[in-house]
């Protein structure tokens, strides 16, 4: 089967602009993009890459993501976008599992690959050699491999809560079905334009909106590194019609010194995903009557599983909406029985868009499924109107003295206090109760006198749910994918607890 969709798109709309890389001052039509991929496919084949081989890319957001992905599709190879925020030892673990044939890399960050065997480091994507290889002025047509729909197209690595890297196998079928679901749910057309700010080593950054938009013939502006001021300038210059960013990016955008609501007038669809909504961001969008759609997904089930209308996004700004086209969702209890409306359980997802399993990890793959359903590990509930809400991560639920505490419930109460700008609630070790409830706060009040805050918590929560320890921070620590690092917050609370006991 011919799954080389960029070649088809290059025939249908050869002269439409596909990608703009402002930093490198490169603008590609769909014809250019196909030629670059075919040129690179010839090079990779000359280096010995064949169908089924893995080809890794270690780079920030860059035109090379599309060159390498599309070249791999032509070859039948498997694309691995590596997380450049990982520490060398973490990258090493990923590479030991994936065993790529070649690693392409950006010169700016290549020193982090010093431990990698030199023969694997095939090509610097910032080099003249790379530009010459991909140069669309020279072209020899490439005969693409015939592939089945269940052939792997990408390995996206996720560490989850264990720290052990797992390569989620994304098939052509999964990638295309996620894209079709997204196009229909968000009404994407070939006239749409987006700015790619979310890191493209992440499933949300690459498949959340970029691949769907390219499939339908739209335009993507590449934002190499996110910065609120710079992104505001890109928005003013390129006038995107759709934006997908993680909540912390939206916060950086609207709090930047050059932000103005008028900057956003070209955008008809705002989508947030990759982490839970932020209080300050939600409050701004609701106040300005701008719908902000919460996208829900995970590496194993694609970034977009639910759909939400603009009207509902304003009325229920913390909902993820209704299951999208061709997505089946259900919520189950600890016995894998479906719960009743309003009850909390684990969210399961099924459909043609889900992943195939973990690379070389059969036992982990079996744990990830319940029949045809992917276990998300997220606790959710469904209201009387059929709207879904994410309550918590199943593994982040705090069990204190035998009682279950959902961190999101405590965070909601704390965030209602006018001095709390944001909160993160986690469990920390307790010698008697196993775990106690702790809270990290970004706090505008006097942290030496929190009696009012404690009274507020006790007035709105059962005693066992109230934080027994507070950690005051200027910013929350983040992990390698830019999400709040709850394990680090828990570690800091554990240290604080030990100090108090010693005193």
């Amino acid at each position: 089967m011919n799954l080389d969709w960029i070649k088809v798109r290059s025939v249908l709309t050869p002269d439409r602009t596909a990608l703009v890389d402002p930093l490198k001052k490169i603008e590609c039509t769909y014809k250019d993009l196909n030629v670059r991929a075919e040129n690179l496919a010839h090079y990779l084949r000359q280096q010995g890459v064949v169908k089924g081989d893995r080809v890794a890319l270690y780079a920030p957001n860059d035109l090379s993501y599309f060159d390498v992905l599309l070249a791999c599709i032509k070859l039948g190879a498997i694309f691995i976008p590596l997380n450049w925020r990982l520490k060398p030892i973490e990258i090493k673990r990923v590479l030991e599992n994936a065993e790529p044939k070649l690693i392409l890399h950006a010169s700016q960050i290549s020193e982090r690959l010093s431990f990698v065997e030199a023969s694997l480091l095939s090509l610097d994507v910032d080099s003249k050699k790379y530009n010459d290889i991909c140069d669309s002025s020279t072209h020899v047509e490439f005969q693409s491999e015939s592939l089945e729909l269940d052939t792997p197209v990408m390995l996206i690595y996720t560490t989850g809560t264990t720290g052990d890297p797992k390569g989620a196998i994304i098939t052509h079928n999964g990638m295309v079905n996620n894209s079709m679901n997204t196009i229909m749910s968000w009404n994407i057309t070939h006239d749409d334009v987006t700015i790619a700010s979310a890191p493209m080593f992440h499933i949300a950054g690459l498949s959340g909106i970029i691949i769907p938009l390219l499939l339908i013939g739209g335009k993507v502006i590449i934002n190499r590194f996110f910065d609120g001021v710079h992104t505001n300038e890109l928005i003013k210059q390129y006038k995107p019609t759709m934006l997908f960013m993680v909540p912390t990016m939206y916060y950086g955008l609207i709090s930047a010194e050059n932000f103005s609501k008028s900057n956003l007038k070209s955008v008809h669809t705002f989508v947030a995903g990759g982490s839970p909504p932020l209080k300050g961001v939600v409050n701004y969008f609701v106040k300005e009557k701008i719908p902000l759609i919460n996208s829900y997904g995970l590496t194993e089930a694609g970034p977009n599983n639910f759909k939400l209308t603009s009207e509902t996004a304003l009325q229920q700004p913390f909902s993820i909406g209704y299951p999208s086209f061709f997505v089946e969702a259900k919520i189950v209890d600890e016995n894998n029985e479906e719960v009743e409306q309003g009850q909390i359980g684990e969210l399961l997802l099924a459909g043609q868009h889900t992943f195939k399993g973990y690379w070389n990890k059969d036992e982990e793959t079996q744990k990830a499924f319940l029949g045809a359903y992917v276990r998300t590990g997220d606790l959710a509930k469904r209201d009387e109107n059929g709207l879904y809400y994410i309550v918590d991560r199943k593994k982040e639920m705090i069990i204190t003295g035998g009682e279950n505490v959902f961190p999101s419930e405590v965070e909601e109460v704390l965030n209602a206090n006018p001095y709390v700008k944001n909160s993160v609630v986690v469990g920390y070790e307790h010698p008697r109760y196993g775990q106690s409830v702790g809270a990290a706060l970004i706090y505008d009040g006097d942290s030496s006198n929190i009696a009012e805050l404690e009274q507020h918590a006790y007035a709105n929560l059962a005693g066992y749910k109230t934080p027994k320890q507070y950690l005051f921070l200027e910013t929350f620590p983040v992990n390698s994918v830019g999400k709040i690092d709850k394990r680090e917050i828990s570690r800091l609370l554990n240290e604080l607890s030990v100090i108090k006991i010693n005193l």
Side-chain angles (χ1 to χ4, degrees):
M1 181 179 292
N2 179 19
L3 299 180
D4 188 0
W5 54 265
I6 193 60
K7 179 174 280 189
V8 176
R9 175 52 63 192
S10 73
V11 172
L12 293 175
T13 55
D15 300 322
R16 286 185 67 88
T17 301
L19 291 168
V20 179
D21 191 331
L23 184 68
K24 292 188 171 180
K25 297 180 171 56
I26 298 175
E27 185 169 310
C28 294
T29 64
Y30 278 94
K31 180 181 178 181
D32 295 334
L33 194 56
N34 181 62
V35 168
R36 290 176 64 90
E38 295 206 339
N39 289 351
L40 185 59
H42 278 296
Y43 170 83
L44 294 175
R45 178 168 284 174
Q46 290 164 7
Q47 305 308 304
V49 176
V50 297
K51 184 176 178 179
D53 282 343
R54 276 78 63 208
V55 177
L57 174 65
Y58 188 73
N61 288 2
D62 185 75
L63 179 58
S64 58
Y65 272 83
F66 306 96
D67 296 333
V68 181
L69 168 63
L70 298 173
C72 283
I73 290 174
K74 293 174 184 295
L75 285 158
I78 304 171
F79 175 53
I80 307 175
L82 295 171
N83 181 348
W84 55 267
R85 291 173 173 167
L86 294 178
K87 296 177 181 178
I89 185 62
E90 295 173 303
I91 301 167
K92 185 178 181 181
R93 292 193 193 107
V94 169
L95 297 178
E96 286 172 349
N97 178 258
E99 298 181 296
K101 189 71 169 281
L102 294 173
I103 304 171
L104 289 81
H105 58 93
S107 55
Q108 187 176 352
I109 55 176
S110 60
E111 71 277 0
R112 300 182 198 175
L113 298 174
S114 58
F115 65 90
V116 176
E117 186 180 332
S119 61
L120 283 178
L121 297 175
S122 169
L123 193 58
D124 182 343
V125 298
D126 295 326
S127 68
K128 182 179 184 301
K129 179 181 178 181
Y130 180 83
N131 291 335
D132 289 344
I133 289 169
C134 295
D135 187 354
S136 58
S137 66
T138 60
H139 177 224
V140 177
E141 191 171 354
F142 187 89
Q143 184 62 44
S144 301
E145 291 281 347
S146 178
L147 304 170
E148 297 302 318
L149 278 169
D150 66 349
T151 303
V153 63
M154 290 188 285
L155 291 184
I156 305 289
Y157 274 82
T158 174
T159 56
T161 56
T162 65
D164 182 33
K166 295 180 290 188
I169 303 169
I170 312 301
T171 64
H172 287 268
N173 194 41
M175 179 180 70
V176 171
N177 274 277
N178 175 76
S179 296
M180 294 301 104
N181 295 351
T182 302
I183 288 167
M184 290 187 290
S185 294
W186 297 351
N187 301 315
I188 300 175
T189 75
H190 65 268
D191 291 322
D192 281 314
V193 180
T194 196
I195 294 175
S197 293
M200 291 192 286
F201 57 72
H202 198 290
I203 191 74
L206 192 56
S207 294
I209 194 170
I210 295 172
I211 291 177
L213 195 57
L214 291 176
L215 270 166
I216 206 165
K219 183 192 295 186
V220 175
I221 315 301
I222 300 169
N223 190 3
R224 193 170 181 88
F225 296 105
F226 177 81
D227 171 80
V229 172
H230 177 62
T231 304
N232 271 304
E233 293 301 320
L234 289 178
I235 290 172
K236 285 192 284 187
Q237 180 179 355
Y238 291 102
K239 297 178 173 52
T241 61
M242 307 186 76
L243 286 179
F244 176 93
M245 292 192 288
V246 297
T248 53
M249 289 179 174
Y250 276 112
Y251 185 88
L253 187 77
I254 64 179
S255 61
E257 60 189 27
N258 62 339
F259 174 74
S260 167
K261 183 184 175 183
S262 62
N263 292 2
L264 307 178
K265 61 185 178 182
S266 67
V267 184
H268 62 67
T269 302
F270 296 87
V271 183
S275 64
L278 290 178
K279 173 185 174 183
V281 173
V282 170
N283 288 346
Y284 173 80
F285 277 84
V286 170
K287 177 173 68 75
E288 296 295 338
K289 295 182 171 54
I290 302 173
L292 179 62
I293 295 170
N294 292 317
S295 170
Y296 173 80
L298 60 159
T299 307
E300 294 84 348
N304 304 317
N305 290 274
F306 292 79
K307 59 184 184 295
L308 194 62
T309 65
S310 297
E311 181 181 0
T312 307
L314 285 172
Q315 294 171 346
Q316 302 291 339
F318 291 96
S319 172
I320 58 173
Y322 306 96
S324 185
F325 293 94
F326 313 115
V327 174
E328 292 201 31
K330 65 179 179 179
I331 301 172
V332 300
D333 61 20
E334 293 179 355
N335 298 315
N336 297 322
E337 299 291 334
E338 283 198 67
V339 303
E340 295 181 5
Q341 173 260 312
Q343 293 184 336
I344 294 171
E346 183 182 5
L347 177 63
L348 308 185
L349 296 169
Q352 294 295 310
H353 64 297
T354 62
F355 84 135
K356 191 174 183 177
Y358 296 114
W359 188 258
N360 290 333
K361 288 186 179 290
D362 293 341
E363 187 176 340
E364 292 294 330
T365 296
Q366 290 176 9
K367 292 177 183 177
F369 287 92
L370 179 64
Y373 285 85
V374 173
R375 291 186 175 277
T376 69
D378 285 320
L379 296 170
K381 64 180 180 179
R382 186 178 64 253
D383 71 11
E384 65 277 9
N385 297 312
L387 287 169
Y388 282 69
Y389 299 79
I390 299 300
V391 175
D392 261 314
R393 286 290 298 167
K394 186 177 181 181
K395 292 180 180 178
E396 289 170 0
M397 184 172 66
I398 302 165
I399 303 176
T400 178
E403 298 286 355
N404 294 342
V405 178
F406 299 120
S408 60
E409 180 186 6
V410 184
E411 289 166 358
E412 183 178 356
V413 169
L414 295 177
N415 288 345
N417 184 284
Y419 293 110
V420 176
K421 294 181 68 176
N422 206 357
S423 65
V424 174
V425 170
V426 298
Y428 67 95
E429 295 174 11
H430 191 282
R432 179 176 179 181
Y433 300 112
Q435 284 183 308
S436 276
V437 179
L441 303 179
I442 298 175
Y443 193 66
D444 270 349
D446 179 4
S447 60
S448 66
N449 184 8
I450 58 168
E452 181 185 342
L453 177 63
E454 291 178 318
Q455 289 171 4
H456 171 75
Y458 276 107
N460 291 277
L461 294 165
Y464 67 88
K465 296 181 180 180
T466 59
K468 307 304 183 290
Q469 192 159 260
Y470 290 93
L471 180 67
F472 297 93
L473 301 170
E474 292 186 5
T475 58
F476 295 134
V478 295
N479 61 20
S480 58
V481 294
K483 295 182 180 181
I484 294 172
D485 192 339
K486 294 187 177 181
R487 281 191 289 179
E488 174 62 12
I489 290 173
S490 183
R491 186 189 70 78
L492 293 171
L493 283 164
N494 280 323
E495 282 189 355
L496 194 60
S497 177
V498 169
I499 291 170
K500 284 186 176 180
I501 291 171
N502 289 340
L503 290 175

